[in-house]
Amino acid sequence: MARRIFSLMIKEFLAILRDKKSRVVVFVPPIIQVLVFGYAATFDLKNVPYAIYNEDSSGVSRQLEAGFKGSPHFQEVRRIGSNGEIAPLIDRKGALLVIHIGPQFSRDLTAERPAVVQVIVDGRNSNTALLALNYVRTVITAFNDTYVSDSGRAGPPARLETRAWFNPNLESRWFIVPGIVGLLLLVVTILVTALSVAREREQGTFDQLLVTPFRPAEILIGKALPGFIIGIGEATVIILIAVFWFRVPLNGSPATLYAGIVLYLFSTVAVGLMISSLSVTQQQGLLGAFLFVVPAVILSGFTTPIANMPHLIQQITYLNPMRYFMVIIRGVFLEGTPASALLGQFWPLAVIGLFNMALAGWMFRRRLY
Amino acid sequence: MSGNLAGKTAKTGGGMRLKGLIRKEFLQVLRDPSSIAIAFLMPLLLLLLFGYGVSLDAENVPVALVAEQPNADTSSFVGAFRQSRYFSPVVMPGMREAVEALDSRRIDAIVHMRQDFSRRMRSADGAPVQVIVNGMDANNARLVQGYVEGVWATWLRGEALAAGRQLDIPVQVDERVWFNSELKSRNFIVPGLIAIIMTLIGALLTAMIMAREWERGTMEALMVTPVTIREVIVGKLVPYYILGMGGMTLSVAMAVGLFGVPLKGSIGVLFLTSSLFLLAALGMGLLISVIARNQFVAGQAAIIATFLPAFILSGFLFDISSMPAPVQVITHAVAARYFIEILQTLFLAGNVWPVIVPNAAALLLMAAFFLGVARKKSRKRLD
């Protein structure tokens, strides 16, 4: 039996990798993508373009300006001299924010009245706007702290000392790069497997395969193995890039990580084969792959937290293998979560894999046309 | 106006052939439900799922409040958290429970008031409040941090007001958010989603369907007839363009009607820029199918070259100007990037020409490039 499966597997490998374009398309893009996306996919803002409108040219207001100039998050692009310049500048995206220091600023400060700095921000991308405002607040808070201690004024009765655990510098790359491993593995394995049965159905060779002495289970395993092996290989390369290129700390054990990867690939390959066994043409297979991959990526917690989704959609995400893998890979990388604490993520992957494998095997025989 | 008779007949012949081709393509589209599914079912399904599912607004963030010595001061601080719609606070008696809850991800943050909170509140340098956030998801951590600061500022203001004194913060920030004053992330995510969905539709329709024709050899069959390459391409584009614009109309109607995203710009500009984008997307699909000539490669290329870049490199979620310079250069090759800028501006800000014109020009350039190269590549193969 093992020999028969082996020969089937070789045949599948040949079908995928026989022509040069297919080889290129399976192996090259994931490597390029992890490099490009690893740099691109970050929520950390750098060089936020801002304009200063300072109507109070005192030393104190210059000191406040210096706080922005010295921050790596901000980049001064314009100084403006009138209210009328604000709207056109923001409208055409000339600056994300305008910092407006009024003429009363230093007088209010010396009189110990609250001095107000107006900040106008482009809210077209509300997440960027929120983050930029947070950075503004940080600069202002730092200014306030120095001002209070320099002037000997009484400070506020309570102050916040904030610390972030597991990721002290709040680098979103640490969170996103492990996620990219899950994203690329999903795309590669689904595409490799989703067309495997459909291609043979379209060309009519699947009927021939079914009348050979191969049992459906053997056909199933033979079709699953290439996607699985390609997935393991690509996972290894991508993880090496994450650790040695992007320097994401791998705090947990590689064995736990690979246990998660094996189960994840088992489930995605199974879903791919299920889609393929349902499809009569390659076009249907590909459409099915798209209709699975796109929602699976967006509803996985990869970029937007599942906790922010409405209840009903949160329930739907339990069917999504990528959801579990996100918890596994981020836990193992950043928190060093042991395997025992991840069992709740492991078993759903196994169940999704087994269910879809069984369904695919069953469909092999039922759906001939 | 010499009215060359021969030229005229040739023209009419071309027109007839083109009409015939378009008719053939339409029949093909109508008989094959998958292209109609791509154009209408996909936007409906994806927009419903994502419009509701994708949100960056954290609400009811679970946070542990630890007061080592509960008294009137700490309970007024706790009260401020209770009133915020961003938090659902749990009061915990000690740090041990709180840290355990943070480790097991039952809570996202801890706010810790030490034993001497009340005493130090009355001292010159004020009481320190320890705030610990789970930094794993850095974006979420920053948002939670911002919300905590907001609650803190509101509480300080209340305390000062109650004591009848000036607030002791020298400089205060007065924030004005334009175009989206409530900072609803749905308002920028839904227009972005439309661009991503249209990218998928454009690429899938042409890449898949054309690759099948190459694979089956019907394309070569078509080419030995008197029709020209240009006629074949135009004949393919017209029905898919109409299908794609149908999908676009459906998406915009859902964005405005269902998700309540304001549409400040004019429909005419939206229609024109969408047409440009769709032509670029269809052209890219066409080019993929001409180069790949087999459905497996075309499908792989379509997902790799369209969905993933449109999702990550377009500015949909990740800010382009914060990316490293070489990556920023790459984003210029992603058509969705220009369309998302146009859509976010058209929906939320209005017809701002300095944003729309350069981005529309970029789309026009990309459409011309893809269609031109696709045409050239097809001709080459015929020789």
Side-chain angles (χ1 to χ4, degrees):
Chain A
M1 182 176 164
R3 262 191 65 186
R4 284 203 299 220
I5 292 178
F6 183 74
S7 54
L8 258 176
M9 185 187 86
I10 296 297
K11 165 195 154 291
E12 285 300 318
F13 261 121
L14 287 176
I16 298 169
L17 304 177
R18 193 185 31 193
D19 104 309
K20 188 170 166 250
K21 282 179 194 153
S22 308
R23 277 198 302 272
V24 170
V25 110
V26 169
F27 293 109
V28 178
I31 313 274
I32 298 175
Q33 281 176 323
V34 73
L35 287 172
V36 174
F37 295 168
Y39 281 111
T42 161
F43 283 115
D44 312 333
L45 299 185
K46 272 180 220 111
N47 307 324
V48 173
Y50 73 98
I52 280 273
Y53 175 26
N54 189 350
E55 294 185 89
D56 173 289
S57 40
S58 66
V60 198
S61 67
R62 296 229 173 272
Q63 203 182 321
L64 183 67
E65 277 187 35
F68 289 97
K69 280 206 185 102
S71 160
H73 300 300
F74 292 101
Q75 170 85 48
E76 186 180 304
V77 288
R78 274 283 285 280
R79 301 192 65 87
I80 54 182
S82 74
N83 250 324
E85 289 175 63
I86 298 177
L89 187 67
I90 297 265
D91 278 355
R92 65 178 160 87
K93 296 199 160 191
L96 187 75
L97 9 120
V98 173
I99 295 163
H100 181 189
I101 303 173
Q104 297 284 332
F105 181 78
S106 52
R107 233 170 302 160
D108 284 340
L109 264 182
T110 19
E112 302 212 354
R113 283 193 299 264
V116 176
V117 172
Q118 192 184 47
V119 176
I120 295 139
V121 55
D122 176 357
R124 265 170 277 189
N125 182 327
S126 67
N127 195 51
T128 306
L130 257 177
L131 292 175
L133 282 176
N134 276 353
Y135 290 127
V136 169
R137 282 190 218 123
T138 314
V139 171
I140 303 270
T141 307
F143 172 84
N144 279 337
D145 287 349
T146 5
Y147 187 81
V148 164
S149 62
D150 287 355
S151 65
R153 248 173 81 165
R159 57 190 190 318
L160 302 177
E161 290 174 345
T162 306
R163 206 142 282 150
W165 281 7
F166 311 119
N167 183 2
N169 297 326
L170 287 180
E171 278 190 56
S172 58
R173 184 164 292 145
W174 286 12
F175 185 67
I176 299 279
V177 170
I180 292 177
V181 180
L183 167 73
L184 293 180
L185 288 186
L186 180 78
V187 170
V188 167
T189 51
I190 293 279
L191 281 176
V192 166
T193 49
L195 296 187
S196 65
V197 180
R199 187 191 306 122
E200 294 212 38
R201 278 232 174 84
E202 197 171 290
Q203 293 165 353
T205 52
F206 197 65
D207 296 354
Q208 294 170 11
L209 201 61
L210 285 179
V211 296
T212 58
F214 288 120
R215 271 173 301 195
E218 291 169 354
I219 300 177
L220 200 62
I221 298 173
K223 291 223 170 264
L225 277 174
F228 191 75
I229 292 169
I230 292 174
I232 295 273
E234 293 199 352
T236 307
V237 175
I238 300 172
I239 286 170
L240 288 176
I241 294 176
V243 173
F244 291 103
W245 185 268
F246 287 111
R247 303 261 161 212
V248 182
L250 177 56
N251 293 322
S253 89
T256 311
L257 189 56
Y258 270 90
I261 290 174
V262 166
L263 283 169
Y264 178 55
L265 289 174
F266 173 57
S267 67
T268 58
V269 164
V271 170
L273 282 177
M274 200 275 287
I275 292 171
S276 200
S277 70
L278 280 174
S279 322
V280 179
T281 61
Q282 291 188 67
Q283 200 175 334
Q284 289 174 3
L286 201 60
L287 192 61
F290 259 90
L291 282 178
F292 175 74
V293 166
V294 176
V297 169
I298 297 192
L299 300 181
S300 66
F302 168 51
T303 49
T304 62
I306 290 178
N308 293 359
M309 298 171 190
H311 186 71
L312 180 70
I313 292 183
Q314 288 195 30
Q315 300 291 318
I316 295 175
T317 65
Y318 286 112
L319 299 174
N320 179 4
M322 192 170 158
R323 174 212 158 104
Y324 302 102
F325 189 64
M326 286 294 117
V327 178
I328 295 172
I329 194 161
R330 283 171 175 160
V332 173
F333 259 95
L334 303 180
E335 289 178 287
T337 313
S340 57
L342 290 171
L343 293 179
Q345 315 296 327
F346 286 161
W347 73 259
L349 287 177
V351 170
I352 293 172
L354 284 174
F355 176 79
N356 283 296
M357 277 288 187
L359 196 60
W362 188 73
M363 288 300 300
F364 276 3
R365 276 166 298 159
R366 301 290 150 137
R367 182 153 191 175
L368 275 178
Y369 300 101
Chain B
M1 298 290 302
S2 59
N4 184 328
L5 197 70
K8 217 171 193 171
T9 1
K11 223 176 195 170
T12 344
M16 257 177 68
R17 282 200 302 267
L18 193 57
K19 238 169 91 181
L21 266 175
I22 294 175
R23 189 155 167 260
K24 161 196 162 286
E25 296 295 335
F26 258 119
L27 285 177
Q28 215 169 326
V29 164
L30 290 178
R31 279 179 196 160
D32 177 9
S34 60
S35 38
I36 297 193
I38 291 174
F40 293 101
L41 214 57
M42 211 162 70
L44 191 74
L45 206 75
L46 296 185
L47 212 55
L48 269 182
L49 211 53
F50 302 156
Y52 285 114
V54 181
S55 162
L56 289 161
D57 310 330
E59 261 174 52
N60 303 321
V61 176
V63 55
L65 299 170
V66 180
E68 285 184 358
Q69 203 176 61
N71 54 34
D73 291 323
T74 60
S75 64
S76 104
F77 197 55
V78 170
F81 276 89
R82 287 236 163 85
Q83 270 162 24
S84 161
R85 71 183 167 100
Y86 297 118
F87 291 105
S88 65
V90 205
V91 177
M92 291 193 180
M95 278 304 275
R96 238 184 36 153
E97 290 95 326
V99 169
E100 233 175 67
L102 189 75
D103 277 340
S104 59
R105 262 183 244 109
R106 274 180 289 132
I107 55 165
D108 284 354
I110 304 174
V111 176
H112 178 202
M113 289 155 277
R114 293 193 184 83
Q115 270 201 323
D116 51 3
F117 181 75
S118 271
R119 189 176 56 77
R120 292 187 67 177
M121 249 180 85
R122 278 146 193 99
S123 72
D125 53 338
V129 177
Q130 189 187 20
V131 178
I132 299 168
V133 295
N134 182 344
M136 267 233 291
D137 180 348
N139 189 50
N140 203 46
R142 267 205 207 95
L143 294 182
V144 170
Q145 212 175 308
Y147 295 150
V148 172
E149 276 167 31
V151 170
W152 170 75
T154 315
W155 176 74
L156 284 182
R157 215 165 294 139
E159 289 281 290
L161 208 69
R165 58 186 162 79
Q166 286 278 0
L167 184 51
D168 302 310
I169 300 176
V171 176
Q172 289 166 36
V173 188
D174 169 28
E175 294 162 0
R176 302 280 164 87
V177 181
W178 283 6
F179 312 126
N180 185 2
S181 52
E182 293 162 71
L183 285 170
K184 272 200 254 175
S185 65
R186 184 176 284 169
N187 283 356
F188 86 88
I189 284 179
V190 168
L193 279 174
I194 294 180
I196 290 187
I197 291 169
M198 294 307 294
T199 308
L200 286 179
I201 294 177
L204 273 182
L205 282 175
T206 40
M208 288 297 304
I209 291 160
M210 295 280 285
R212 184 170 60 176
E213 295 219 11
W214 287 108
E215 202 172 289
R216 289 182 176 169
T218 48
M219 202 65 180
E220 269 87 353
L222 200 59
M223 284 192 172
V224 294
T225 62
V227 296
T228 62
I229 282 291
R230 202 182 54 198
E231 284 165 358
V232 172
I233 289 179
V234 173
K236 293 266 172 207
L237 281 182
V238 169
Y240 295 139
Y241 167 78
I242 291 173
L243 268 184
M245 287 309 279
M248 180 74 199
T249 311
L250 178 68
S251 306
V252 173
M254 281 175 75
V256 176
L258 195 60
F259 294 112
V261 182
L263 178 57
K264 299 262 177 66
S266 71
I267 303 260
V269 178
L270 185 62
F271 178 82
L272 272 177
T273 49
S274 307
S275 299
L276 284 177
F277 175 72
L278 193 59
L279 281 180
L282 291 172
M284 186 156 171
L286 206 62
L287 183 60
I288 288 174
S289 73
V290 169
I291 295 175
R293 307 221 173 186
N294 102 34
Q295 294 183 66
F296 175 71
V297 178
Q300 289 266 15
I303 205 164
I304 288 163
T306 61
F307 168 57
L308 292 178
F311 185 50
I312 294 180
L313 300 176
S314 64
F316 166 54
L317 286 174
F318 305 109
D319 181 52
I320 291 178
S321 62
S322 298
M323 297 175 187
V327 178
Q328 286 194 37
V329 173
I330 297 174
T331 64
H332 282 287
V334 180
R337 173 207 162 125
Y338 307 106
F339 195 42
I340 282 180
E341 284 229 341
I342 293 177
L343 283 183
Q344 285 182 351
T345 297
L346 272 184
F347 270 96
L348 300 177
N351 297 341
V352 183
W353 300 115
V355 175
I356 292 167
V357 171
N359 283 304
L363 286 178
L364 184 66
L365 214 68
M366 287 190 89
F369 173 79
F370 285 133
L371 291 172
V373 176
R375 187 184 160 196
K376 212 167 169 187
K377 288 267 178 195
S378 324
R379 190 166 42 198
K380 242 190 203 160
R381 279 297 287 238
L382 203 57
D383 296 338

